[in-house]
Amino acid sequence: MNLFTRPMKLLTAVVLEGNTEEVVKSLLELGALDFVKIDQLPPQQMAKLTTRASSVSRAAMEDLRHRVEAVLRQGDTVLPAVEKLDVSQLASLDMDGYRRMLDELSSALLQLKDQQKESNQKLLGIEELERYIKEEKLQYIDLRVGAFEHGAAQDVQSRLAPIGGVVLEGDGADPSVVLTLRRDAARVNPLLDKFGWTESSDVHAQKAGLRRALVRLEADRLSVVKSRDDLQRQVVDMITRRKVDLTNIWCNLRLHELCDQIRSYFSYTRNTTLFSGWVPTDMSSPVEDAIRTASNGQCVIEWTDAGSLPREQVPVAVTSPRLLKPFQRMVDNYSVPEYGTINPTPFVAVAYLCMFALMFADAGQGAVLLLIGLLESWLYKKNPLRKEGMLTANVCNLLVYLGCASIVGGVLFGSYFGHPWFPAVWFNYHAVVEGGTSGSVQSIYDILGITIKFGIAIIGLGLILNWINLFRKKQWFTLCLDKNGLVGGWLFGVGVWAGFAFVASGYRSLPSSPFLKWGVGVPVVILLFKGIIGYVLERKEGGATKPIGSVVMDDIMEWLVDLLEIFSGFLANTLSFMRVAGLGIAHVSLMVAFADMADMVGGVGGIVVLVVGNALVIALEGLSAGIQSLRLNYYEFFTKYFTGKGIAYEPVGLRTEVRER
C-alpha cells in the first residue's frame, strides 16, 4: 500500500500503422494506460493528423452485448467473468450473424415466456379463489351448483380459462359446480346462459360443491406450479445449450468495444499512429516493453514526468489493500484526492472504526454484526446472481469490520448485550452512566472529556496530513499562513492548552502565563499581513496591479474572516466530537431501559423484551453510529487536509468497465 498517490508518467508513442492492431491488443491485455487525446502538438503538426471512425458503431456493439446479457440472465446464468476475456481469441465481428442467432433464440424464448405468463395469471386466479374460501370471505366468490342442458363442463372450463374459475362436471350423485370470482359475473352469466345452465338451490349440494371445488383448486394449483416450473426449466435448458455460443459472442463484442475505445484516442498520419496516456511509474517499463514487442521495435516512445505538468492534469491512482476496500469506497464517494497527496484510506479506516467503537461499544451486539456481515458476504459469494438490497456486498464487508470494532469497544467498557458480565478492561460504561464511578472515570463529564481529546487527536492528525500535502506540493505560502497551515495549527494548539488549563482551574480562569498572550498575539499579527504578502507574491508572478487602499481593505476583511474561522471553526470542530460520547451514552441508556423493562416483566416475557430491545438497538443505534462516524470523517477530518481536486486514473484494459459514449 502506498502512503501517497502513485507517481505517474505521461507516455507519448509513435508506431507504424501496420503494427497498430498488435499494439492495441498488447495495451488492452496490459490494461495500464489511461489514454488522453493528443492536442499538445504545434498547430501545423496537428493539421497533419487524422482520426478514423470505427467500421462498426461502438453503441451497436454495446446494444448487442446487452442483449446477450439479458438472455443469459433469463437462464439464471452468471455473466461471463473478465477472466474469460482473451485478446488472442479476438475474432472478426459478425454482427448480422449474432443478431440472427439472438433473434431465433429470443423468438423461441418468447413463446415459453408467453406460456409462463398464462400460467402465472391462472395461478393468481386459483390462489385468490383458494384464499377467499379458506378465509371464509364468500362474498367475493360466486358458487353455482346445477346442470348444463347442452354442452360439456370441459367446454365451459376452456371458455373461462382467461378469467380463471373452476368447473366440475356432475354425475348421478352430485350436480355440476361452477366457481368464479363475483367481479367476473358480467362475463360468466352470459356464458352459462349459452350452455343452458340450470341453477339448483339445494344448500347441502352447495356445501358439498364448495368442498369439491376446494379440492379441485388445490390440485389445479399444484398442476399449474409444476407446469410453470417445467417451462422455466425449458427456458434454462434452451439457454444452457447455447451458453458457449453466447459467452463467445459476449467476449468478442466486449473485446472489440475495448479495442475501439483505445483506437478512439489514436491519431494518424499517412504511415504512422500516434497515441498518448498516463501510466504509473512502476508500470512504465512493462508498458514500453509491450509496445516495442508489438511493434517489432519500430516505434518512438517519449516519457514526460508528471512534475513538469500542472497537477490538476495528472490522473490519480490510489493503491490500498483489498481488505480496506469498504473504506476506499468511502473515500471514492467523497472525491478523488489530489495527485501527489496523502492516500486517505488507511487513516479513514482507523478513524472510522475508532469512532464506531466508542459510540457502539457492546461485544455481544458486535458479534451479531460480525455474524451478519460474514453470513451475508458468504451468500453473495455463493450466489453471484443475488440482487443487492439494503445490505449490499460492500455494506456486508463493512459490517465485518464494524462488528470487530464493537467487540473491542465492548471488551474495553465491559458491555455484553447490555450487561457487564465480564470486568471492563478500561472502565465500566454502564456504571458511569447510571451514576457510579469506574477507575479514573468519575462521571459522564469524564466520558465527554475522552471524546473531546479524541476529537483533538483527529483534528491534529488532519492538520499534520495537510502540512505534509502542502510541503509535497511546495505551496509554502499556504503551508505557513492558511487557517489549516502552521499558523492555524499553532493557534489550535494554544487553544487546546488554554482550554485544558481553564478546565483544570475549575472553569474559573484562563492561564495567567505570558505565553498565552504571546502565543495568540504573534500569530494574529502575522495573519494581519497575509493578504498583503499574498498580493506581493501574486504581483511577482505577473498578477494585476491593484490600488493600495483596495489591497489593505481586502487584507483586513480576509484577516477578520480567518480569525473567525480559526477561533470559532476549531472550537466547533472539536466540540462536534461530543456526539461520539452522546451516542455512546444513549446506547448504554437504551440498554439499561430495556434491562429494567425486562426485570419488571420477568420470566419468558422479560427474555422477549431483552431480545427485541437488543434487535432494535442493533438496527437503530448501529445505523446511527455508522452515519455519525461517516459524518465526522467527512466534515471534521477530511476538511483539514483533503482537497478532492483529483481526476481518477481510469486505464483501459480487460478488467476495466466499458465507458459509455
Side-chain angles (χ1 to χ4, degrees):
M1 179 183 68
N2 291 341
L3 186 59
F4 301 93
T5 62
R6 297 171 69 182
M8 304 292 288
K9 296 177 73 174
L10 180 65
L11 164 78
T12 303
V14 182
V15 299
L16 292 178
E17 186 177 1
N19 298 324
T20 299
E21 287 306 307
E22 290 303 317
V23 171
V24 168
K25 292 179 183 179
S26 295
L27 294 176
L28 179 59
E29 191 166 23
L30 197 59
L33 199 60
D34 185 355
F35 291 90
V36 296
K37 293 288 187 181
I38 295 180
D39 56 3
Q40 302 299 320
L41 296 178
Q44 62 272 20
Q45 293 186 20
M46 289 294 297
K48 299 177 181 179
L49 300 180
T50 61
T51 57
R52 297 179 184 176
S54 175
S55 58
V56 179
S57 165
R58 199 189 316 167
M61 289 188 282
E62 184 180 346
D63 291 340
L64 203 55
R65 176 171 57 84
H66 287 164
R67 284 189 62 187
V68 175
E69 292 173 356
V71 171
L72 289 172
R73 288 192 184 97
Q74 290 182 55
D76 296 331
T77 302
V78 179
L79 297 181
V82 293
E83 287 75 14
K84 288 186 174 292
L85 295 177
D86 185 355
V87 176
S88 64
Q89 300 298 318
L90 184 66
S92 59
L93 283 174
D94 182 10
M95 300 291 284
D96 292 335
Y98 297 162
R99 289 193 184 95
R100 281 195 300 271
M101 194 271 274
L102 286 172
D103 290 342
E104 292 172 2
L105 184 56
S106 298
S107 178
L109 290 172
L110 183 60
Q111 296 179 13
L112 293 174
K113 288 295 180 182
D114 288 340
Q115 296 178 41
Q116 284 182 313
K117 183 178 179 181
E118 293 175 4
S119 296
N120 286 329
Q121 291 176 340
K122 188 174 182 181
L123 182 62
L124 289 174
I126 291 172
E127 288 177 341
E128 189 174 10
L129 286 169
E130 211 173 7
R131 185 175 69 254
Y132 288 151
I133 294 173
K134 291 180 178 179
E135 295 176 359
E136 297 185 354
K137 296 180 180 179
L138 304 183
Q139 68 271 25
Y140 297 115
I141 63 175
D142 268 335
L143 177 69
R144 312 164 195 255
V145 294
F148 296 102
E149 291 184 4
H150 47 80
Q154 293 90 334
D155 298 330
V156 181
Q157 181 74 67
S158 63
R159 299 288 184 90
L160 290 177
I163 61 173
V166 172
V167 180
L168 300 175
E169 190 167 8
D171 52 26
D174 298 312
S176 296
V177 177
V178 178
L179 177 65
T180 58
L181 292 168
R182 181 156 294 180
R183 64 170 180 259
D184 296 324
R187 299 177 61 182
V188 174
N189 291 337
L191 180 63
L192 295 180
D193 291 341
K194 183 177 180 180
F195 283 85
W197 173 257
T198 303
E199 190 82 20
S200 171
S201 58
D202 187 345
V203 176
H204 296 291
Q206 290 178 349
K207 291 181 178 180
L210 187 61
R211 289 192 295 271
R212 290 171 58 201
L214 184 58
V215 172
R216 173 66 177 275
L217 284 171
E218 292 176 350
D220 286 351
R221 176 170 52 79
L222 294 174
S223 176
V224 172
V225 169
K226 182 178 181 301
S227 174
R228 185 188 61 180
D229 293 343
D230 288 342
L231 288 170
Q232 181 59 29
R233 278 192 291 271
Q234 291 181 47
V235 170
V236 172
D237 290 343
M238 186 179 295
I239 295 173
T240 301
R241 287 195 297 269
R242 307 301 297 271
K243 180 180 177 180
V244 174
D245 293 336
L246 291 169
T247 300
N248 290 338
I249 291 174
W250 186 92
C251 291
N252 202 37
L253 288 169
R254 183 64 176 268
L255 288 170
H256 276 278
E257 282 181 75
L258 292 169
C259 288
D260 184 71
Q261 186 176 345
I262 291 176
R263 292 191 203 97
S264 67
Y265 291 96
F266 285 9
S267 297
Y268 301 89
T269 66
R270 187 171 62 177
N271 298 313
T272 63
T273 302
L274 288 78
F275 59 92
S276 183
W278 288 99
V279 181
T281 301
D282 58 343
M283 289 293 296
S284 58
S285 293
V287 169
E288 182 170 341
D289 292 342
I291 295 173
R292 292 192 184 281
T293 301
S295 62
N296 297 317
Q298 298 175 324
C299 61
V300 177
I301 296 176
E302 178 182 306
W303 291 101
T304 304
D305 188 75
S308 62
L309 296 171
R311 186 180 296 269
E312 60 272 12
Q313 294 181 7
V314 184
V316 177
V318 177
T319 304
S320 299
R322 185 176 180 83
L323 289 174
L324 296 184
K325 183 178 179 181
F327 305 100
Q328 182 65 58
R329 290 286 293 273
M330 291 183 188
V331 175
D332 293 340
N333 288 338
Y334 187 82
S335 188
V336 179
E338 192 174 359
Y339 176 73
T341 59
I342 294 282
N343 175 9
T345 304
F347 302 100
V348 170
V350 174
Y352 189 90
L353 293 178
C354 289
M355 294 174 191
F356 189 85
L358 289 171
M359 287 188 276
F360 196 78
D362 191 292
Q365 295 169 358
V368 173
L369 290 179
L370 175 61
L371 290 174
I372 292 174
L374 290 173
L375 176 61
E376 291 293 323
S377 298
W378 177 75
L379 290 175
Y380 275 113
K381 291 179 181 178
K382 184 179 179 181
N383 182 16
L385 292 175
R386 183 186 181 194
K387 291 184 178 180
E388 291 191 333
M390 185 173 65
L391 290 179
T392 64
N394 186 66
V395 170
C396 293
N397 293 332
L398 181 61
L399 284 179
V400 175
Y401 288 92
L402 297 184
C404 294
S406 186
I407 291 173
V408 172
V411 172
L412 289 174
F413 302 132
S415 181
Y416 302 83
F417 290 113
H419 293 80
W421 290 336
F422 302 98
V425 174
W426 187 0
F427 66 88
N428 190 320
Y429 217 131
H430 286 260
V432 176
V433 171
E434 293 182 277
T437 62
S438 179
S440 60
V441 180
Q442 303 295 312
S443 67
I444 287 178
Y445 293 105
D446 291 333
I447 297 177
L448 292 172
I450 290 171
T451 57
I452 287 176
K453 292 173 184 175
F454 175 74
I456 291 170
I458 292 295
I459 293 172
L461 175 61
L463 291 173
I464 292 172
L465 296 179
N466 184 54
W467 300 342
I468 295 172
N469 285 339
L470 293 172
F471 180 83
R472 287 175 60 85
K473 292 188 288 185
K474 299 180 180 180
Q475 295 181 358
W476 313 119
F477 176 76
T478 305
L479 173 61
C480 294
L481 298 179
D482 186 69
K483 64 178 181 179
N484 291 326
L486 294 175
V487 170
W490 173 265
L491 288 172
F492 175 67
V494 172
V496 169
W497 169 73
F500 278 106
F502 180 68
V503 173
S505 69
Y507 303 96
R508 289 189 298 271
S509 63
L510 290 170
S512 58
S513 170
F515 174 75
L516 179 60
K517 297 177 183 179
W518 289 101
V520 173
V522 172
V524 167
V525 173
I526 291 174
L527 283 174
L528 179 60
F529 297 97
K530 175 184 174 181
I532 296 174
I533 296 172
Y535 171 71
V536 172
L537 295 176
E538 184 180 342
R539 286 285 296 120
K540 286 185 176 181
E541 295 178 359
T545 303
K546 297 180 181 178
I548 297 299
S550 173
V551 173
V552 173
M553 287 301 299
D554 289 345
D555 176 67
I556 293 174
M557 291 300 299
E558 185 178 357
W559 177 66
L560 292 174
V561 171
D562 280 345
L563 291 182
L564 181 64
E565 288 185 346
I566 289 173
F567 286 102
S568 65
F570 278 125
L571 178 62
N573 294 153
T574 305
L575 295 180
S576 183
F577 281 86
M578 292 175 64
R579 72 184 67 237
V580 174
L583 280 176
I585 293 168
H587 177 256
V588 173
S589 300
L590 279 174
M591 293 313 305
V592 170
F594 281 117
D596 291 342
M597 291 169 59
D599 290 339
M600 287 188 291
V601 174
V604 177
I607 296 175
V608 172
V609 170
L610 283 177
V611 172
V612 173
N614 273 276
L616 287 173
V617 168
I618 290 172
L620 300 179
E621 285 288 321
L623 179 63
S624 181
I627 292 173
Q628 290 302 328
S629 298
L630 189 62
R631 181 207 173 278
L632 288 169
N633 268 280
Y634 280 172
Y635 296 106
E636 314 301 347
F637 189 34
F638 275 19
T639 52
K640 298 296 175 288
Y641 73 98
F642 194 108
T643 56
K645 297 179 179 179
I647 54 176
Y649 166 63
E650 296 178 338
V652 181
L654 300 180
R655 289 165 177 76
T656 303
E657 290 293 329
V658 179
R659 300 179 197 171
E660 304 292 341
R661 278 198 151 197

